[in-house]
Amino acid sequence: METRNAILRASLHSAALSIQIPQNHSFSTLTKIHSPKWVSLNIRYSFSSRTLLVKSKTQCRNSYAKIKCKGVSDIEEESPKPKLRRKNLAVFVSGGGSNFRSIHEATLNGSVHGDVVVLVTNKQDCGGAEYARDNRIPVIVFPNKKDGQEVFSAEDLVITLRSYKVDFILLAGYLKLIPVELVRAYPKSIFNIHPSLLPAFGGKGYYGMKVHKAVIASGARYSGPTIHYVDEQYDTGRILAQRVVPVLANNTAEELAARVLHEEHQLYVDVAAALCEERITWREDGVPLIQSKENPNEYF
């Protein structure tokens, strides 16, 4: 062991380096380098049965370069992991906004690494708009018409959302069709939650209690919320996440709606968290998947 250490120290002497090697061969060096910007480090030492050559190219950003060696043949420069930027969210509502409230509360308690920076509604006096104003969240009324004339266009909406630096748009009970201009301005960045397991019981006219009544009338044994990407039609975008809710034999539409809504709140928070943490990936066939936070090798 001492012979090996002596040979290694001698081989590094010409590079003007000072390296201390513990007995387990894992070592780190603090190298004082005055010039040049790039330093090529060649280390050669011998064992009794073989000779090993280690090469490393280190970029020096200041007078000291820290090199971490995991083993005798693995030398790499330490680099800090980039910190994720908090994402800006716009939420669209038409009613009470219970999903909006769940998402906003999750941004406040740290469950979602983002901020709700603006609310868009087609009903300025709805519960969601009142909650936003109470929490000092700007409210935009869209579509906004006066005397039958549009006074705030789709192009105006796009410009306004960009002024808030919106990353993602979350529809939470917004009953209007999203204008084409907005869909094209935010590709793969607009999401909607629907109270059935799409593609069943979706499309124009299927919203609110109408969905749950149709589910019960059909005899379906399962329902539940679906979160999907928004395209230029109603409820036809790629499905991102779903949660199953059994339809009980004696369920009324109101009872089923309450149980589905409970799952909506948690599902939308989970999806918002994944979006803000950049855990969405796309399968080769174009199906979006959510990467597990606990195990990056698992998807759902």
Side-chain angles (χ1 to χ4, degrees), residues 190-201:
I190 308 177
F191 303 84
N192 181 49
I193 190 162
H194 185 78
S196 74
L197 296 175
L198 293 176
F201 308 104

Side-chain angles (χ1 to χ4, degrees), residues 105-142:
E105 289 169 1
T107 65
L108 298 180
N109 66 30
S111 300
V112 173
H113 191 62
D115 300 291
V116 178
V117 296
V118 63
L119 180 90
V120 177
T121 181
N122 62 310
K123 297 181 179 180
Q124 62 180 352
D125 297 324
C126 69
E130 291 178 1
Y131 175 85
R133 294 187 186 102
D134 289 343
N135 287 272
R136 299 182 179 180
I137 299 172
V139 175
I140 297 172
V141 179
F142 181 85

Side-chain angles (χ1 to χ4, degrees), residues 210-222:
K210 293 181 179 180
V211 174
H212 305 296
K213 289 179 178 179
V215 169
I216 290 175
S218 73
R221 275 22 179 202
Y222 295 95

